[in-house]
Amino acid sequence: MSVKILGKSAAFYDTYERRPGSNQEQTHYCPGCGHGILHKLIAEALLDYGVAENSVFISPVGCSVFAYYYFNAGNIQAAHGRAPAVATGVKRALPESIVISYQGDGDLAAIGGNEILHAANRGEAMTVFFVNNAIYGMTGGQMAPTTLIGQKTTTTPYGRTLQNEGYPIRMAEIISNLESPVYVERVMMADTRSINAARKAVRKGIKNQIEKKGFSFIEVLSTCPTGWKMSAPQSQEWIKTTLSENFPLGVYKDVADQVEPLNLEQNLATPARVPKLLGLDQDNMSFDDSEMKLAANIDQEIKISGFGGQGVLSLGIWLSEIGMRENLEVSWIPSYGPEMRGGTANCHVKLSNRSIGSPLVTHPTILVAMNRPSLEKFEEDVVEGGAIIWDSTLIDVEPARKDIVNIPVPATQIAKEIGNTRISNVVLLGVLSGFSDFLDPMVVQRVLPLIFKKKHLLEINLKAFQKGLELGKEINN
Amino acid sequence: MAKARGLVAVNVEECKGCRLCVEACPVDVLHLTNTFNTHGYSPAEYDGEGCTGCGICYYACPEPGAITVYKNWAEAQEAYICQTKKVPSRLTVIDSVKGLAQCEACGQEVILSNFSNLSFAE
């Protein structure tokens, strides 16, 4: 004999200890709010299918932001609208878990409109519950994308108009038009019959995920008595008479029976896997400070500037790569226009023994200018006693300042002689290394093979570096 | 007339008085009280008789633990396991409106709305 009792589901906490304040026996929802009913339906289904322990509930921003107070399951609270993205990550890392993305209409249809479309389009094997109450409840009853034409909210005090705010968005219809989702239904919670239908949809959505069928989307028309300024029974009546007329109920897509279960592989970013993904497991290069010839105090702020395509940004990255292996603190930020080639680009590099506060270089200690506009633009910014290294093949003027170290390098000419004008930046790297006391040539020569993985490229680049290095050393003497 | 074989117990401290259960009950045996619970709501209450155990109020209620429906009270009362002595026992209703019963084994009062703390034989 099994006793039939309907009571508080064990998928809820007994007391809501995560809820601050003295009231830990009630949910924080307003009296008559639909969230509670949907929570109960989901909890019941999770428990009945025996997956409550194995579930991860992603709560949104909105009234249900605190769903983690109640569900005795894995809980994550996502940034506004990003529940499907978080759910994607959880599902891929833990493919055996049941991942539920629970979102309201402000969260899913407005700020998260993009996230949900792409999660649905990828057919992520998750279950999405979309609570549509045609209003922003949490923030005080503002217009949502789902607000009906004529509906009064605090931001549409005369009612939503077509001219000003457009039509309400019907998410179930939109999602069902994508290829990937396996199950899309719109239900309501307005009376006994409809709540029963909602219960079935909730169960189907979760069962689909247990059977690895793919993306399920259940839109639930739900009450917001406070936002709608109605009593709870009036709110349910309004769903029946008005809201469901504008958001037709029904199954919009159901191909769950026709699709094969997905083969979900675990995709976990373990600490051991990260270096492998980044190729760092091949890079066992580290130096002791005693192996390198470096200045005691290094605090360099370098600006590299030139045409897009000259390797301006790359040179900056190399400097920081080398700096890292010299156990220095490094930073690099690029600044460039929308063009990939042509236009001007520059980057800011810092190399220091001390922690770097800001990566921005406004007064460089070294300026590397690879074209005339760059020299003219940044010359004035260089600190007194700083260095300006400039490509004398391309720049036909001299720096006007006399309080700086002037280093003209025919980098493009040298690169051309070696065989490729595109390696002029490597020539400049060599000059920097030879001239300065913070780029040990031994380290640079061992880092270059990590940068130029193709053998024929490495050869020519090493040659360019060597040539630059000689020039740099000459300047130093 | 449907057969009155169920029992509904409202946890007055969890109830927010939204009235959805009162509206949903097909045999009209729930009402809101004129009193307040500690959170300031006027909770729902069982008339004391007539519950069929259909469970409609349970699904209408937005609060996870406010309503407990014993679908077949006669079966449930025989299946009760005493929470003090952990032995099979039997429940006798002493106040159906407030949802109070007495455990035969230990003689203590049992709050039927406190469902998650009770246990019944499978």
Side-chain angles (χ1 to χ4, degrees), chain B residues 22-101:
Chain B
V22 176
E23 298 285 329
C25 178
V27 286
D28 209 10
V29 295
L30 289 164
H31 61 270
L32 291 190
T33 64
N34 290 323
T35 57
F36 294 106
N37 64 16
T38 54
H39 307 300
Y41 295 115
S42 293
E45 193 177 60
Y46 179 34
D47 288 354
E49 56 184 61
C51 174
T52 63
C54 69
I56 284 173
C57 60
Y58 171 80
Y59 287 108
C61 174
E63 208 49 35
I67 288 183
T68 304
V69 175
Y70 296 83
K71 298 194 84 153
N72 186 330
W73 174 245
E75 278 177 15
Q77 70 178 151
E78 300 294 337
Y80 184 66
I81 292 164
C82 175
Q83 295 304 282
T84 324
K85 298 186 173 174
K86 308 288 176 203
V87 293
S89 177
R90 190 179 184 283
L91 288 173
T92 316
V93 174
I94 50 176
D95 186 338
S96 60
V97 176
K98 300 225 170 331
L100 298 176

Side-chain angles (χ1 to χ4, degrees), chain A residues 284-303:
Chain A
N284 48 12
M285 200 187 299
S286 65
F287 300 95
D288 282 331
D289 288 345
S290 59
E291 290 177 68
M292 299 178 286
K293 282 184 226 113
L294 297 176
N297 287 313
I298 296 172
D299 204 0
Q300 293 292 345
E301 305 199 358
I302 304 162
K303 187 167 266 177

Side-chain angles (χ1 to χ4, degrees), chain A residues 27-48:
Chain A
T27 60
H28 70 287
Y29 301 117
C30 305
C33 174
H35 276 307
I37 302 177
L38 186 57
H39 280 22
K40 279 169 83 170
L41 298 179
I42 294 170
E44 185 193 55
L46 292 179
L47 203 66
D48 286 355

Side-chain angles (χ1 to χ4, degrees), chain A residues 161-461:
Chain A
T161 60
L162 182 55
Q163 295 77 13
N164 215 33
E165 290 93 12
Y167 284 107
I169 289 180
R170 296 188 176 125
M171 287 309 293
E173 285 85 333
I174 292 172
I175 299 290
S176 65
N177 274 317
L178 297 170
E179 286 290 321
S180 298
V182 294
Y183 173 53
V184 181
E185 180 168 1
R186 182 183 287 123
V187 293
M188 65 175 180
M189 296 188 301
D191 54 17
T192 306
R193 185 190 291 260
S194 62
I195 290 172
N196 200 25
R199 180 170 173 265
K200 283 186 182 138
V202 167
R203 295 173 83 87
K204 185 166 170 54
I206 291 170
K207 193 151 175 279
N208 280 347
Q209 191 178 162
I210 294 169
E211 292 171 354
K212 299 185 174 18
K213 293 292 191 173
F215 186 89
S216 300
F217 183 92
I218 295 117
E219 177 170 343
V220 185
L221 303 182
S222 176
T223 53
C224 182
T226 307
W228 298 348
K229 300 179 173 54
M230 295 176 192
S231 73
Q234 281 172 344
S235 308
Q236 291 199 335
E237 197 54 35
W238 192 72
I239 292 184
K240 269 195 276 190
T241 57
T242 311
L243 200 57
S244 62
E245 293 297 311
N246 288 273
F247 292 101
L249 305 182
V251 178
Y252 284 87
K253 186 172 185 184
D254 185 3
V255 294
D257 289 342
Q258 295 146 42
V259 297
E260 290 295 313
L262 297 167
N263 182 20
L264 300 173
E265 276 174 29
Q266 190 177 43
N267 220 330
L268 205 57
T270 58
R273 213 176 143 213
V274 174
K276 202 173 169 194
L277 285 172
L278 296 175
L280 297 176
D281 57 335
Q282 308 292 323
D283 172 13
N284 48 12
M285 200 187 299
S286 65
F287 300 95
D288 282 331
D289 288 345
S290 59
E291 290 177 68
M292 299 178 286
K293 282 184 226 113
L294 297 176
N297 287 313
I298 296 172
D299 204 0
Q300 293 292 345
E301 305 199 358
I302 304 162
K303 187 167 266 177
I304 304 161
S305 185
F307 290 123
Q310 277 185 310
V312 169
L313 305 186
S314 304
L315 179 53
I317 292 175
W318 302 339
L319 289 183
S320 33
E321 283 263 357
I322 294 158
M324 269 194 290
R325 287 172 175 84
E326 291 178 333
N327 308 321
L328 298 175
E329 304 282 333
V330 303
S331 73
W332 170 85
I333 47 168
S335 164
Y336 50 84
E339 317 89 336
M340 285 300 283
R341 302 208 189 279
T344 57
N346 70 73
C347 68
H348 306 213
V349 178
K350 286 194 180 184
L351 300 170
S352 179
N353 296 120
R354 298 175 302 147
S355 303
I356 294 167
S358 159
L360 219 60
V361 175
T362 42
H363 297 289
T365 54
I366 298 176
L367 170 67
V368 180
M370 296 179 71
N371 65 4
R372 185 171 163 173
S374 300
L375 180 66
E376 286 169 343
K377 190 173 177 190
F378 296 117
E379 185 185 341
E380 284 309 308
D381 297 340
V382 178
V383 296
E384 209 181 307
I388 299 180
I389 302 176
W390 53 286
D391 188 332
S392 56
T393 318
L394 299 182
I395 303 174
D396 51 6
V397 292
E398 289 258 341
R401 282 177 64 176
K402 301 295 167 211
D403 58 344
I404 47 99
V405 184
N406 177 15
I407 309 174
V409 180
T412 304
Q413 182 59 38
I414 294 168
K416 199 176 172 185
E417 282 163 15
I418 295 171
N420 192 336
T421 52
R422 286 173 63 192
I423 57 173
S424 64
N425 58 349
V426 186
V427 176
L428 291 168
L429 175 67
V431 173
L432 262 170
S433 180
F435 159 76
S436 72
D437 53 3
F438 60 91
L439 293 169
D440 187 325
M442 178 271 294
V443 178
V444 180
Q445 270 161 328
R446 287 174 62 181
V447 171
L448 283 177
L450 298 175
I451 296 165
F452 303 105
K453 295 205 167 73
K454 286 180 186 153
K455 213 172 170 191
H456 68 282
L457 285 181
L458 177 62
E459 225 166 87
I460 191 172
N461 278 291

